Amino acid sequence: MPPLRAIILGPPGAGKGTILSRLVKHYNGAISTVSSGDLLREEIKKNPSSSIATTVAQGKLVPDQLMANLIFRSFEQEKIFQRSWILDGFPRNASQASILDSTLPESLNMVIHLDVPFRVILERIEGRWIHQPSGRVYNLLYNPPKVPGKDDITGEDLIKRPDDTVEVFQKRLDTYSALLGDLSDYYKKRGIFHTILGETSDVTYPKLLNLVEGFLKK
Ligand code: AMP
């Protein structure tokens, strides 16, 4: 099968991680995914007082070349270049897109745009509450706690994550919109841009699978 060299673009909270992990399972690991956020979180675990930790905690972007180095190091370590892969979270701006272009041995052959309406994402965020000690997540819309405001298992208080507010998310969505504008023009010209529209991963995942299957059969 021809190797897939793809990136996935989608707003924060759109469920990229969810549908990618379903895809990886479906292909039994024959498709790899690399997530820039996961790579950074691993670095932070190794060195919690690094400047990366501070930058990520502030919700700012780490320097482009540093991010690119982490991505390509992971590609080399995992021997991903020769296989099918989907990159999640990179590029985040035009400069990263051009670093990616100039570093890849063979150019991208698919850009997946996961288009989940911002209204849906904000509704989900607004309804999301967590039990901090365990990491259990509740949603007032889909899986509310049995007793309002309390964890089902321990009965302890639920909290809102400080970055899980509509205000913070609206800012992240605005940043994403600006990026999408830049990148979609850049990739549409090459004819490799595909949009997947849907509100939940049960709708978007089959569309992703269909797209990837169609490509790999070519
Ligand atoms: P994510 O898991 O994709 O939401 O990323 C978490 C955080 O990691 C972001 O808020 C940024 O601080 C940082 N980050 C992720 N991807 C990139 C990137 N491509 N360039 C710079 N910083 C990034």
Side-chain angles (χ1 to χ4, degrees):
M1 68 187 194
L4 176 70
R5 297 183 293 277
I7 60 171
I8 184 162
L9 305 171
K16 284 170 290 183
T18 307
I19 60 173
L20 288 181
S21 63
R22 284 175 75 175
L23 191 75
V24 168
K25 229 188 238 163
H26 178 86
Y27 281 100
N28 233 334
I31 294 183
S32 303
T33 60
V34 174
S35 146
S36 58
D38 285 352
L39 291 179
L40 291 173
R41 283 183 281 275
E42 275 167 32
E43 286 301 306
I44 294 170
K45 237 190 237 165
K46 280 189 247 162
N47 188 357
S49 54
S50 65
S51 61
I52 294 183
T54 321
T55 310
V56 170
Q58 292 169 342
K60 293 186 186 153
L61 293 186
V62 305
D64 295 337
Q65 197 58 56
L66 171 67
M67 188 72 247
N69 291 347
L70 286 176
I71 302 248
F72 295 124
R73 191 182 69 186
S74 157
F75 267 59
E76 266 159 23
Q77 279 171 350
E78 310 289 328
K79 302 204 172 13
I80 288 174
F81 274 127
Q82 303 80 357
R83 308 214 310 259
S84 280
W85 49 264
I86 303 178
L87 188 50
D88 171 14
F90 187 93
R92 278 279 225 285
N93 56 35
S95 141
Q96 293 184 359
S98 95
I99 296 177
L100 183 62
D101 266 350
S102 58
T103 313
L104 284 178
E106 286 179 276
S107 48
L108 285 180
N109 48 25
M110 186 184 287
V111 175
I112 304 158
H113 166 215
L114 179 61
D115 186 4
V116 176
F118 288 3
R119 166 188 56 77
V120 174
I121 293 173
L122 289 172
E123 272 168 15
R124 265 188 226 149
I125 295 303
E126 209 163 19
R128 189 151 73 181
W129 288 79
I130 60 164
H131 176 241
Q132 200 158 29
S134 67
R136 275 187 285 280
V137 179
Y138 296 87
N139 195 296
L140 301 186
L141 295 175
Y142 317 106
N143 62 328
K146 292 186 188 122
V147 177
K150 304 286 180 194
D151 178 49
D152 285 354
I153 312 279
T154 64
E156 290 167 342
D157 284 345
L158 301 178
I159 61 152
K160 276 214 88 79
R161 264 203 323 238
D163 57 347
D164 242 12
T165 65
V166 167
E167 292 73 27
V168 170
F169 245 77
Q170 186 64 58
K171 263 195 211 136
R172 291 177 66 189
L173 291 171
D174 292 345
T175 309
Y176 167 77
S177 294
L179 162 75
L180 181 69
D182 287 351
L183 291 188
S184 58
D185 292 346
Y186 187 80
Y187 292 121
K188 270 181 189 160
K189 281 189 207 135
R190 297 198 211 163
I192 57 171
F193 192 87
H194 301 266
T195 294
I196 290 176
L197 180 66
E199 297 197 356
T200 65
S201 55
D202 285 342
V203 173
T204 54
Y205 173 67
K207 294 183 181 178
L208 173 68
L209 183 59
N210 205 16
L211 180 65
V212 169
E213 263 175 349
F215 177 90
L216 294 176
K217 266 194 219 129
K218 267 198 293 191

